[in-house]
Amino acid sequence: MLDGKRILLIISGGIAAYKALDLIRRLKERGATVRVLLTKGGAQFVTPLSAAALSGEKVYQDLFSLTDESEMGHIRLSREADLVVVAPASADLMARMAGGIADDLAATALLATDKPILLAPAMNVEMWAHPATRANVALLEARGARRVGPGTGDLACGETGPGRMAEPDEILQAIADFFARPTPLRGRRALVTSGPTREAIDPVRYLTNTSSGKQGYAIARALAYLGAETVLVSGPTRCTPPPNVTVQNVTTAEEMLAACEAALPVEVAVCAAAVADWRPTTKPNQKLKKEGAAPVLELQENPDILARLSAAGPKRPPLVIGFAAETENLVENAKAKRTRKGCDWLLANDVSPESGVLGGDCNQIHFLTPQGVEDWPSQSKDAVARTLADRIAAHFEGGA
Ligand code: CTP
């Protein structure tokens, strides 16, 4: 089932390290190649000799080992794997990963790798509950790390609660699930716009809106997860770039349009950005001074990126999807907008302040297609993204 898969197994310090030996055995039984990297802490609990005997491979421990580096540099070590598994993942190692610290071989390999990472955390219940650990785990997951466990039960320290490393069977299942996941969009190219745009009034002031970019980032992540080669053209946001997505950062609507056109051809384009509809006609090189009467801003319309991408032509993506941000007559306005802009599908959402959609984590969508309107339940922006990505995959699987 794992025939030919290459696993880099990082064993960090913790009593659960002994279970990692069993994991090596099971991975090998299923045909995987396992290379073990042992931290200093990990070596307190399992010996390099047992890890080497079980894996049938050399065990790596030291960042500055001349022999290791000449045989296999740490960068190669981190890249010559299909999946990096950290079991147990101690609070300390995850904190170093979150901070980008590379102070030993394990942390350096984790910083240098371009491969997916699966974490199997193990620690004391209070350490797991600590806000620092919570924040570190959330950050690592936002960057694309997967996680299995921890489970709840009696811990080696005598306390009870969450913190127990997942059993080798569960970790094995998570590894198998990772390799078995369907990638129906493999071989397809996707373009996503996200975030607000920022239109300069003068060198220090600008017009913008309250879009956080969360929905577009979630869509790019979901499309990439299904295997699409994804380009995300993003206005200024605080979002973390999703794994395996090419991010093009832009500021203005005109830059966003240029970046989108440069990304063509694609099979699917999703315009989730809250593009500023207007920009100041003039952009003085100097800061406007508070002299005399208040200035009157003259505005001109920005290009409509969704309408441009939807316009017929040799480069029109076969599937163009837009959003409709409305504060009244949601479905009626959205239907008119879909026709006006010429896109294929449209996700309409209520962005009135009471809805909490702009900047928030949840979204309720009315999904418009040429076939009609579907009301999706209120769900997280991640769930909206996954639902949409699945629909896109189904559309192409249907022979489009
Ligand atoms: N959009 C775009 N470029 C623009 C304006 C909007 O690509 N200059 C896209 C958005 O990304 C979204 C869709 O058009 O997918 C609808 O955006 P929305 O703000 O709801 O509509 P507007 O075009 O601004 O129309 P109105 O202000 O009349 O509601």
Side-chain angles (χ1 to χ4, degrees), residues 49 124 140 145 340 353 397:
L49 194 58
N124 162 271
L140 295 174
R340 195 168 70 240
E397 272 169 4

Side-chain angles (χ1 to χ4, degrees), residues 98 100 161 172 222 226 301:
L172 198 64
L226 295 189
E301 203 168 320

Side-chain angles (χ1 to χ4, degrees), residues 62-75 105:
D62 191 356
L63 181 57
F64 299 112
S65 153
L66 210 52
T67 2
D68 287 1
E69 279 295 311
S70 54
E71 276 174 19
M72 157 85 69
H74 59 273
I75 305 287
L105 183 58

Side-chain angles (χ1 to χ4, degrees), residues 324 326-338 340:
E326 305 290 344
T327 52
E328 56 184 352
N329 300 332
L330 183 59
V331 173
E332 284 321 303
N333 284 346
K335 277 184 179 161
K337 198 170 273 181
R338 195 182 79 78
R340 195 168 70 240

Side-chain angles (χ1 to χ4, degrees), residues 193 253 271-277 302-307 321-326 337 340-341 346:
T193 70
C271 291
V275 184
D277 289 321
N302 264 329
D304 190 317
I305 299 166
L306 177 62
I321 304 169
F323 273 77
E326 305 290 344
K337 198 170 273 181
R340 195 168 70 240
K341 303 223 178 194
L346 193 109

Side-chain angles (χ1 to χ4, degrees), residues 191-197 199 233-235 250-262 264 269-277 301-311 316-317 320-322 341-343:
L191 165 68
V192 181
T193 70
S194 190
T197 64
E199 313 294 337
V233 179
S234 174
V250 297
T251 306
T252 66
E254 289 176 300
E255 287 169 12
M256 187 173 272
L257 175 64
C260 288
E261 286 176 340
L264 297 178
V270 184
C271 291
V275 184
D277 289 321
E301 203 168 320
N302 264 329
D304 190 317
I305 299 166
L306 177 62
R308 293 272 187 104
L309 292 173
S310 301
R316 187 201 193 273
V320 183
I321 304 169
K341 303 223 178 194
C343 60

Side-chain angles (χ1 to χ4, degrees), residues 151-185:
T152 300
D154 293 336
L155 303 174
C157 51
E159 293 179 21
T160 305
R164 243 170 104 123
M165 188 172 88
E167 294 302 321
D169 265 350
E170 289 170 70
I171 302 176
L172 198 64
Q173 190 57 52
I175 294 171
D177 289 349
F178 169 77
F179 286 115
R181 80 182 208 280
T183 49
L185 292 176

